[in-house]
Amino acid sequence: MGVLPVPAEVRAILLDIEGTTTPIAFVQETLFPYIKDNVKEYLRAHWEEEECQQDVGLLRKQAQEDSSLAGAVPIPLESGSGEEELERVIQAVVDNVHWQMALDRKTTALKQLQGHMWRAAYATGHVKGEIFEDVVPAIRKWREAGMKVYIYSSGSVEAQKLLFGYSTEGDILELFDGHFDTKIGPKVESESYRRIAASIGCATNNILFLTDVPREANAAEEADTHVAVVIRPGNAGLTDDEKSYYSLISSFTELFLPSST
């Protein structure tokens, strides 16, 4: 793929996470299995805490809304009649979480519990955010050249900060000037990139967006944002048309910044 010159008007680099800074396998083979394997133990350990009870309350409400769906798992209320009943309620929560994850659902209730579990896992060292080895040295060079660097991911800003704050490269949060998630808008809608530019305080053509997803690249391009599609191990393949149309890189080191002088 060689060297990709960065247009002279670019002042900020906007990064996707999964498949761009971080292997897709980390999410699929580490983060999600951690939830499945540890949700029962987590609930037992934190059940009496207010945060955990809020999470369970949201999951129970979601279960009521899902009651007409095939295979939906209801979560009974506690009546305070002892350990056996508590275990039955916890098991219902576990079964509900497993059912939602099997369907790859993105409910607020599920995402909230997952976020709290991952926060605990990162903090205790059970999980470290994986970063491709070219990422940190490249970002340091970009910043030295005067570039601003931002993250835009479907994962919540909290989840982003956990991944980079407890990464295989240590705490690298200082490398980023800001974080965006889908609260600013979906990544496949061009208006989201206009909002990001307005938030950063620049024009859309002052931004270079790096992503592994052509639909996201297309949306950014529609907003007059510069884009490059990142090819990483484990990423979905591109069509021949996509390969010929988009600028492609397989490493952040392939970006060539114009001289800042």
Side-chain angles (χ1 to χ4, degrees), residues 166-186:
Y166 297 93
S167 84
T168 49
E169 303 291 327
D171 181 351
I172 57 170
L173 284 172
E174 65 178 15
L175 297 181
F176 305 110
D177 294 281
H179 298 258
F180 299 96
D181 57 21
T182 50
K183 286 179 181 174
I184 199 109

Side-chain angles (χ1 to χ4, degrees), residues 43-77:
L43 291 168
R44 283 173 174 162
H46 299 276
W47 190 260
E48 300 297 330
E49 297 169 16
E50 182 180 351
E51 182 178 82
C52 186
Q53 282 301 304
Q54 289 174 348
D55 293 345
V56 172
L58 266 185
L59 287 163
R60 186 177 283 120
K61 186 171 179 237
Q62 183 66 50
Q64 290 167 349
E65 293 173 13
D66 294 338
S67 58
S68 62
L69 300 179
V73 181
I75 300 173
L77 287 164

Side-chain angles (χ1 to χ4, degrees), residues 90-109:
I90 288 176
Q91 187 59 52
V93 178
V94 172
D95 293 343
N96 180 279
V97 167
H98 286 178
W99 173 73
Q100 289 202 61
M101 291 183 70
L103 296 177
D104 194 27
R105 302 191 76 205
K106 313 287 187 189
T107 64
T108 299

